[in-house]
Amino acid sequence: MRRNCRIWWPKQLLSKDPSLCDLLFGWFVSCSEASLDIVVAFASNQVSVPAPQSGLEEKSMFSLLGQCTAHLSNEQVSQNGMKEEQRKSSGLGGVSAMNSQDICRQDYGEQRCGCQKLNLLVEGCKKASIGSSYWCRLLYDYQVLSDKKNHWIPKLHHIHWNGQIVSQCDVHIIVYETPVYGLHHFSLGVWGSPELLKSPLKKPKWFDGLHEKQPLTDLDTVILAINSASAAKISFDRLEGSKRYCGKTFLVWTLGQILAFFIASLSTMFYIILQFFHCILSFGSQMWMYTAAAKAFSNASVHMRIRCCQILYWPVVLWDNDLRSQSSVEYAEKAALNRHSMWSSLAVDVFLGHVIGLVFLFYAESINLWVLNFASDLTNELLRSGCVWLMGVPAGFKLNTELAGVLGMVSLNAIQIWSTLWAYVGPLFIYFIKGLAIWAILFGVTVPASLLIDTILIVTFHLSTLHWLISILYSQQLYTLAALWRLFRGRKWNPLRQRLDSYDYTVKQHVVGSLLFAPLLLLLPTTSVFYIFLTIMNTIISLTCILIELIISLIHATPYIKIILWLVKRRRFPSGIWFEIVTCSNNYIHPPESSSVDGSSSHFEGNMSATLITILHGNFLSIGQIVLPHYRKVFSAVPGSYFPTAAFGVLTGKRIASSLGVTFPPTMPWMSIPCKDYWFLCHNSILACFADI
């Protein structure tokens, strides 16, 4: 059975000057008996490998794969020998070049299968790897790739594959760039936003047999191993006792201390203020005035609770306690985006609040004058004139004078009451505008925007009341006419089965129905024109509130940190992989006589082995693919039949809701800890972010 072997080779090892015998560290991934993936994380010299008692087998997140030795052709050996002679003649000194197999036989010795004997510190790990699963031996081959540069390409010598020595296999060498946190990583699908595919209702016959076939490769596990290569190297360096991968400079440490002290102090001040107001509200929560105010300003209270939770919990979210993120670059990227999403949304919200708040403060008088003029024009030019016009002959329609007069007088009295109240409240409206600006500066733009929704609903309460009354009259009139029409047809509505059934009505019922049907039908145009007029006004108010609510939800849902990182480093958002074919060749193998793992002698036979060299690349998400999943989550709670239902409700006399029902960030329990502990929590969370710089 022909076997396939894929060697995932780090790009930095192509230009590395190989030692006499390098040890390879990484992972073996096998999903079938005929396929094996060798993911090489890094290579190290035998001298620098830590002792087994230091925890190489137990504490590390990687395993010892095998060994890779230098393999030079005769031409390259002669060229190296000429270079060595030139070094000797120039006084530089050095060691004369010879075949690497001879060097290894002299220094370490060679086993019968061709594997070189390692030092005592690593030989135990090697025997454990061969006995448990796999062990491979590679050769460094000096080749020129498509970039016209010389590279050290691995060439498979043999593999200890489940107790057997295998050399007859097709080799696919895939060169990848080691993922680094903050730069790039690999992902198979749409990263961070998986979408479920809808299967057809009737599956074909061949679909049932797909689960019986074994997959050719486990790419998920391979990509996970590649993304963990950098963490494996860091773990190896710590076991080795080498210098840390990236350290803090004194300038970064000083900047982190200053910034952490400033942000922690500012957050603690807000924490004290929020705890003070929370105590006051908790004390007055049992009063009826508090209950009425909470119902009147329901939108503002919800968004104020969201903003308070964001201010209280941002250091908790920013604190990195996820140990899983330390093992993979992909997990580290996702954990970092989750940590920084809350404070970035809070920062953008507060920034927009500062801009709009300062504009409102500087132009408070102009805004107040515009609002007063708009309210006067709305009351006199539109509402009063519209009601008077409907009481006459609107557009040539002959209406019922008595009913139109009653409806018109009720509407004019409600408008007059509102105008009288506005005459007292209007001069104080400038203070409301300044208070709205201060709220925007302190808590961001979403809190005053939600307060603006509640204010619009309060100041238009008279229109909502008129629309509610005329809606009741209009809907009951339509319902009565529909029932009388069914009476004339001899049908009756069955509410249990939701259908029309035949029914024999009496003569008296037909007479009463005839007497009621005519006046209700003749009064319907008069009721309809008032209903249409007030429905238009109420719909405009509802759409205005829905628009403000939609803006608030988009401000909360926009992933600002992802957009900024996408503009700076697009490779941090992968979406799928693809392979660039570099070269394909056939090699003839002449291995020496060897023995199997169980001690029985075996011989390698010369065979043609196909070698394919490719380079692993990744696709990247567009800005739309990053933002749209967050916006879909916002509208996930909105039913698809919202607009058809609203249109049907307008025709049948039902009110339109002033809220779309979009999703907002969830609220969390109120935090109450000592101020000193909260300051240290904010301070340490900031320093934890600077620890990775």
Side-chain angles (χ1 to χ4, degrees), residues 113 115 130 133-136 158-165 597:
C113 65
C115 294
I130 295 177
S133 55
Y134 306 96
W135 179 267
C136 68
H158 69 275
I159 304 176
H160 294 263
W161 195 323
N162 291 328
Q164 298 179 357
I165 300 177
V597 179

Side-chain angles (χ1 to χ4, degrees), residues 252-320:
V252 174
W253 181 83
T254 305
L255 180 62
Q257 290 288 342
I258 296 174
L259 188 61
F261 179 82
F262 175 75
I263 295 179
S265 302
L266 185 62
S267 300
T268 306
M269 292 175 57
F270 273 96
Y271 177 77
I272 296 173
I273 296 173
L274 292 178
Q275 293 294 341
F276 175 74
F277 281 105
H278 183 261
C279 293
I280 295 177
L281 294 177
S282 299
F283 178 76
S285 61
Q286 303 299 328
M287 301 176 62
W288 67 270
M289 295 182 60
Y290 175 83
T291 305
K295 291 182 178 180
F297 298 95
S298 58
N299 292 284
S301 61
V302 170
H303 289 86
M304 188 64 188
R305 183 62 183 266
I306 293 174
R307 182 48 36 85
C308 291
C309 291
Q310 290 178 343
I311 295 175
L312 294 176
Y313 279 90
W314 72 264
V316 179
V317 178
L318 190 61
W319 192 276
D320 185 13

Side-chain angles (χ1 to χ4, degrees), residues 16-17 19-25 42-52 54 56 62 64 108 118-119 121-122 232-243:
K16 176 189 175 183
D17 188 12
S19 61
L20 297 180
C21 188
D22 280 342
L23 297 178
L24 304 178
F25 294 87
F42 59 93
S44 178
N45 200 320
Q46 294 188 59
V47 181
S48 60
V49 175
S54 63
L56 179 63
F62 49 88
L64 187 61
Y108 303 107
L118 307 175
N119 53 41
L121 297 178
V122 190
K233 184 65 171 66
I234 295 175
S235 178
F236 180 84
D237 292 340
R238 290 175 180 175
L239 291 174
E240 184 186 356
S242 61
K243 190 176 180 180

Side-chain angles (χ1 to χ4, degrees), residues 18-19 43 48 66 81 162 180 230 236 253 303 393 403 470 512 542 592 648:
S19 61
S48 60
N162 291 328
V180 179
S230 180
F236 180 84
W253 181 83
H303 289 86
V393 186
L403 181 59
I470 197 67
V512 174
S542 300
F648 181 77

Side-chain angles (χ1 to χ4, degrees), residues 431-662:
Y431 299 105
F432 174 77
I433 295 175
K434 293 181 179 179
L436 209 65
I438 295 175
W439 273 57
I441 294 174
L442 293 178
F443 298 102
V445 70
T446 56
V447 175
S450 61
L451 181 61
L452 184 61
I453 295 177
D454 295 327
T455 305
I456 292 175
L457 295 177
I458 291 174
V459 299
T460 58
F461 179 72
H462 62 296
L463 290 178
S464 302
T465 304
L466 290 175
H467 181 260
W468 174 65
L469 293 175
I470 197 67
S471 298
I472 294 176
L473 180 60
Y474 178 74
S475 60
Q476 292 298 323
Q477 198 169 355
L478 286 180
Y479 179 78
T480 304
L481 289 173
L484 293 175
W485 179 251
R486 290 195 296 269
L487 184 145
F488 298 148
R489 296 169 56 202
R491 309 296 294 273
K492 183 180 180 180
W493 175 254
N494 189 342
L496 297 178
R497 298 187 178 183
Q498 295 293 314
R499 69 181 186 184
L500 290 174
D501 296 333
S502 300
Y503 187 78
D504 294 332
Y505 292 95
T506 63
V507 177
K508 292 182 180 180
Q509 290 176 332
H510 281 281
V511 172
V512 174
S514 302
L515 294 175
L516 292 176
F517 184 79
L520 288 177
L521 183 61
L522 295 176
L523 292 176
L524 182 61
T526 305
T527 310
S528 300
V529 293
F530 277 91
Y531 172 76
I532 293 173
F533 174 73
L534 293 175
T535 300
I536 292 174
M537 301 302 299
N538 187 73
T539 303
I540 294 174
I541 296 171
S542 300
L543 291 179
T544 303
C545 296
I546 290 175
L547 179 61
I548 299 175
E549 181 188 14
L550 187 61
I551 294 174
I552 293 173
S553 62
L554 293 181
I555 291 175
H556 281 302
T558 302
Y560 303 101
I561 190 67
K562 290 185 179 181
I563 294 175
I564 295 173
L565 292 178
W566 185 86
L567 295 175
V568 175
K569 185 67 66 173
R570 189 181 177 186
R571 298 180 65 190
R572 299 183 70 170
F573 300 92
S575 175
I577 59 176
W578 60 280
F579 300 89
E580 178 187 359
I581 299 178
V582 178
T583 181
C584 182
S585 60
N586 294 325
N587 303 319
Y588 196 76
I589 304 175
H590 292 282
E593 182 180 351
S594 59
S595 61
S596 60
V597 179
D598 56 3
S600 59
S601 62
S602 60
H603 297 271
F604 289 106
E605 297 180 359
N607 291 278
M608 294 296 296
S609 176
T611 302
L612 176 65
I613 301 177
T614 60
I615 299 177
L616 178 63
H617 297 280
N619 298 321
F620 310 107
L621 295 175
S622 62
I623 190 68
Q625 292 174 320
I626 294 175
V627 176
L628 287 180
H630 296 270
Y631 290 163
R632 291 195 192 101
K633 185 178 180 181
V634 171
F635 296 100
S636 61
V638 181
S641 60
Y642 176 82
F643 291 102
T645 304
F648 181 77
V650 170
L651 296 176
T652 57
K654 297 181 181 178
R655 299 183 63 188
I656 301 177
S658 59
S659 177
L660 192 61
V662 294

Side-chain angles (χ1 to χ4, degrees), residues 2 10 41 92 191 260 340 356 391 459 559 598 639 652 682:
R2 195 71 174 179
L92 296 177
W191 179 64
H340 299 297
I356 297 178
M391 292 170 66
V459 299
D598 56 3
T652 57
C682 298

